[in-house]
Amino acid sequence: MEIDRIDHLVLTVRDIAATVEFYRVALGMTEIRFGEGRVALGFGRQEINLHRAGAEFEPKAQTPTAGSGDICLISATPLDAVRRHLDALGIAIEQGPVARSGALGPMQSIYIRDPDGNLIEISTY
């Protein structure tokens, strides 16, 4: 067996509309609606499906919790421009830029938090 890539992951959130707005404005993701009331955030060839805390879709993680995510996103935009964009939106950069190691080798990263407190690492190789 050989796994090729991640198609999607799920974030459990308190407020889907607030989450969509944050990821749309801050990170340029698009809102995707599918199925019966399902919502996802699209970017590149993947997506983040959103489950509202307490009303998750089945099957779900054993202990779904808003704010427990820790995600690394690779940016096509240079980090200095990402930082200026986030600063203009008033989004605090928790850390960075700092040197990190990613799946493809050395990278530079900055860290922010989404409305639920999920840690979002934005990186460039």
Side-chain angles (χ1 to χ4, degrees), residues 2-66:
E2 180 182 346
I3 302 296
D4 179 52
R5 67 183 185 275
I6 292 175
D7 179 81
H8 71 276
L9 56 91
V10 175
L11 279 180
T12 301
V13 302
R14 287 185 276 279
D15 183 332
I16 288 179
T19 299
V20 167
E21 184 66 6
F22 175 84
Y23 283 85
R24 187 185 64 73
V25 173
L27 301 176
M29 294 185 184
T30 58
E31 179 180 4
I32 299 169
R33 295 202 170 259
F34 64 101
E36 296 182 23
R38 305 280 311 265
V39 179
L41 301 162
F43 60 102
R45 297 187 306 153
Q46 46 283 317
E47 64 186 34
I48 300 171
N49 292 352
L50 302 176
H51 287 187
R52 188 172 57 79
E56 299 86 2
F57 292 93
E58 297 291 341
K60 64 180 184 278
Q62 186 169 348
T63 312
T65 306

Side-chain angles (χ1 to χ4, degrees), residues 49-124:
N49 292 352
L50 302 176
H51 287 187
R52 188 172 57 79
E56 299 86 2
F57 292 93
E58 297 291 341
K60 64 180 184 278
Q62 186 169 348
T63 312
T65 306
S68 65
D70 184 340
I71 303 169
C72 179
L73 302 169
I74 303 302
S75 175
T77 304
L79 277 189
D80 59 338
V82 170
R83 185 179 191 99
R84 285 192 305 273
H85 171 70
L86 296 171
D87 286 345
L89 295 171
I91 296 172
I93 295 177
E94 192 162 304
Q95 190 177 85
V98 293
R100 292 292 187 249
S101 181
L104 302 179
M107 59 187 189
Q108 289 288 311
S109 300
I110 59 174
Y111 293 85
I112 63 174
R113 300 249 177 212
D114 76 3
D116 286 291
N118 293 303
L119 184 64
I120 308 301
E121 179 180 359
I122 304 167
S123 304
T124 58

